[in-house]
Amino acid sequence: MLFTRFTGRRVLKMTSDIATTFEGEIDLGIIGGTGLYNLECLKAIAILPPMETPWGKTSSPITISKVTTTKDIEGHPSINKNFHVAFISRHGLHHEYPPTKVPFRANMAALKHLKCKAVLSFSAVGSLQHHIRPRDFVLPQQIIDRTKGIRDSSYYNDEGLVGHVGFGNPFSEAFAKYIYQFKDNLVNKGDHCTLHFNKDITVICMEGPQFSTRAESKMYRLLGGDVINMSVIPEAKLARECELPYQMVCMSTDYDAWKDEEEPVTVETVIGHLTNNGMNANVLASCIIESMAHELPEFMVTGDGLKNSVKMSISTKPEGMSKETLNKLRYLFPDYW
């Protein structure tokens, strides 16, 4: 199982013949389930033990892979064999971290420290709209935060440091458009599986770990929600604070609890859709990686307009920061302070 809303067990085997350090730079970071580690177009070259960051350890080891495919894409330059991908399992290799306890800050900080250029995130979601069916995929562009303030959601709100980073458009539209070009590659038992994308698609993030009540689910529809999960906050906020283009691929597993004519969502309901979603996640990730390895998209080259945004957003002067605070900032941005 992978990318479930509730559980998933798939252990990444640690082998003695693979490196435990990596000296290069990461092009694409992927956060999701461990099933993505074994894409045919990739070969694992290093498995870093859970990385220690100023905000704790990552939720899993970080698997570094390089592209091995030799398939040519017409009209594109030869493949870049030095294109590197880093994988983090959001909830741990044994799914031991519930949504509230995921070390989100450590995960994103580790990717930034590895000089990652963009972050692709996968998450199972419940659908809040008729037209988003179970097994459909969604590229949201807006977020409504219904978490309860008990998650560490910023690098810049510790004592002695004030920072206000813009979050009006929480996802990378350029990244979403890039992903959307592969919409025809998704299938549902031989039928077309829809990849939904427009500038107003909204994901609700709730605290969990329980699913919604019917009343809550109906309220989220009234608020304009299209899908609901428990992971996009603070992941998207932290990516923005790291100046990383970020896009989540939401994979629908159920209709949440808003349909009066159906039983509320249960684990049993979700299980039936997991295998198909996992297969499509692998297909989509492979398409994205192979395309990027042939030609790095512009938003990854330029930083999608985010470069230097944090430097301009920190209100506290360096002389007013403690040594510990400066060291934390330098972990993320060694060239700024």
Side-chain angles (χ1 to χ4, degrees), residues 38-43 66-69 285-287 289-290:
N38 300 313
L39 301 181
E40 290 184 4
C41 65
L42 294 175
K43 177 183 178 181
K66 68 176 182 179
V67 177
T68 59
T69 181
S286 295
C287 290
I289 290 167
E290 289 186 342

Side-chain angles (χ1 to χ4, degrees), residues 138-158:
V138 178
L139 299 173
Q141 292 300 285
Q142 284 297 324
I143 301 171
I144 295 176
D145 183 359
R146 293 289 296 170
T147 61
K148 298 179 178 178
I150 58 179
R151 306 180 183 195
D152 291 321
S153 61
S154 176
Y155 298 107
Y156 311 131
N157 63 353
D158 294 336

Side-chain angles (χ1 to χ4, degrees), residues 31 90 104 119-125 137-141 143 170-172 175-176 179 195-196 203 205 227 229-233 235-236 245-251 284:
I31 301 175
R90 180 186 293 111
F104 289 105
V119 176
L120 174 64
S121 174
F122 286 86
S123 174
V125 300
F137 279 25
V138 178
L139 299 173
Q141 292 300 285
I143 301 171
F171 297 99
S172 169
F175 200 170
I179 297 168
L195 177 61
H196 301 268
V203 54
C205 189
V227 293
N229 82 348
M230 304 176 189
S231 300
V232 70
I233 296 294
E235 203 169 82
Y246 172 88
Q247 182 60 49
M248 175 171 277
V249 177
C250 295
M251 303 173 292
L284 188 59

Side-chain angles (χ1 to χ4, degrees), residues 66-122:
K66 68 176 182 179
V67 177
T68 59
T69 181
T70 57
K71 182 174 68 176
D72 290 326
I73 298 178
E74 185 178 355
H76 286 269
S78 299
I79 196 166
N80 176 11
K81 294 293 185 66
N82 291 318
F83 184 88
H84 292 111
V85 183
F87 294 92
I88 294 179
S89 182
R90 180 186 293 111
H91 295 286
L93 295 183
H94 305 280
H95 212 96
E96 61 267 36
Y97 291 99
T100 300
K101 300 296 184 180
V102 171
F104 289 105
R105 293 200 295 181
N107 288 348
M108 199 62 66
L111 291 177
K112 178 64 177 180
H113 191 68
L114 290 169
K115 301 187 185 325
C116 182
K117 297 180 178 69
V119 176
L120 174 64
S121 174
F122 286 86

Side-chain angles (χ1 to χ4, degrees), residues 6 27 31 34 39 44 55 59 77 80 92 109 116-117 161 184 192 217 226 233 323-324:
F6 55 92
D27 294 284
I31 301 175
T34 56
L39 301 181
W55 299 275
S59 57
N80 176 11
C116 182
K117 297 180 178 69
L161 178 63
D184 294 332
H192 181 65
S217 193
D226 294 287
I233 296 294
K323 183 178 179 180
E324 180 184 7

Side-chain angles (χ1 to χ4, degrees), residues 12 28 41 60 96 128 228 263 333 336:
L12 178 66
L28 179 66
C41 65
S60 77
E96 61 267 36
L128 296 170
I228 182 167
E263 290 297 315
F333 299 101
Y336 282 7

Side-chain angles (χ1 to χ4, degrees), residues 60-318:
S60 77
I62 301 177
T63 301
I64 311 295
S65 299
K66 68 176 182 179
V67 177
T68 59
T69 181
T70 57
K71 182 174 68 176
D72 290 326
I73 298 178
E74 185 178 355
H76 286 269
S78 299
I79 196 166
N80 176 11
K81 294 293 185 66
N82 291 318
F83 184 88
H84 292 111
V85 183
F87 294 92
I88 294 179
S89 182
R90 180 186 293 111
H91 295 286
L93 295 183
H94 305 280
H95 212 96
E96 61 267 36
Y97 291 99
T100 300
K101 300 296 184 180
V102 171
F104 289 105
R105 293 200 295 181
N107 288 348
M108 199 62 66
L111 291 177
K112 178 64 177 180
H113 191 68
L114 290 169
K115 301 187 185 325
C116 182
K117 297 180 178 69
V119 176
L120 174 64
S121 174
F122 286 86
S123 174
V125 300
S127 170
L128 296 170
Q129 301 297 334
H130 286 281
H131 67 280
I132 300 176
R133 304 166 300 171
R135 303 191 183 187
D136 279 359
F137 279 25
V138 178
L139 299 173
Q141 292 300 285
Q142 284 297 324
I143 301 171
I144 295 176
D145 183 359
R146 293 289 296 170
T147 61
K148 298 179 178 178
I150 58 179
R151 306 180 183 195
D152 291 321
S153 61
S154 176
Y155 298 107
Y156 311 131
N157 63 353
D158 294 336
E159 186 175 350
L161 178 63
V162 178
H164 303 284
V165 176
F167 199 56
N169 295 308
F171 297 99
S172 169
E173 183 179 1
F175 200 170
K177 289 179 177 177
Y178 189 86
I179 297 168
Y180 191 63
Q181 68 180 306
F182 305 112
K183 61 184 182 300
D184 294 332
N185 295 77
L186 306 182
V187 295
N188 179 4
K189 289 187 176 179
D191 297 326
H192 181 65
C193 176
T194 303
L195 177 61
H196 301 268
F197 168 58
N198 66 60
K199 66 180 180 65
D200 295 319
I201 291 182
T202 299
V203 54
I204 304 279
C205 189
M206 62 178 291
E207 191 64 57
Q210 301 84 0
F211 294 136
S212 308
T213 66
R214 284 199 191 276
E216 289 170 333
S217 193
K218 291 177 180 180
M219 177 186 70
Y220 297 145
R221 282 167 49 81
L222 292 174
L223 289 176
D226 294 287
V227 293
I228 182 167
N229 82 348
M230 304 176 189
S231 300
V232 70
I233 296 294
E235 203 169 82
K237 289 184 176 181
L238 298 170
R240 180 57 51 87
E241 290 192 344
C242 287
E243 298 182 357
L244 288 171
Y246 172 88
Q247 182 60 49
M248 175 171 277
V249 177
C250 295
M251 303 173 292
S252 176
T253 59
D254 55 84
Y255 277 115
D256 205 53
W258 56 272
K259 281 195 168 186
D260 289 323
E261 67 273 19
E262 294 186 9
E263 290 297 315
V265 60
T266 65
V267 168
E268 290 75 19
T269 304
V270 174
I271 285 177
H273 303 301
L274 294 178
T275 300
N276 197 85
N277 282 356
M279 178 193 71
N280 273 329
N282 286 4
V283 168
L284 188 59
S286 295
C287 290
I288 293 167
I289 290 167
E290 289 186 342
S291 180
M292 286 180 172
H294 278 87
E295 185 175 8
L296 203 64
E298 185 68 15
F299 70 87
M300 291 175 72
V301 176
T302 64
D304 204 25
L306 298 176
K307 287 185 176 179
N308 295 315
S309 60
V310 166
K311 191 173 184 179
M312 299 297 103
S313 300
I314 300 296
S315 303
T316 309
K317 301 298 182 184

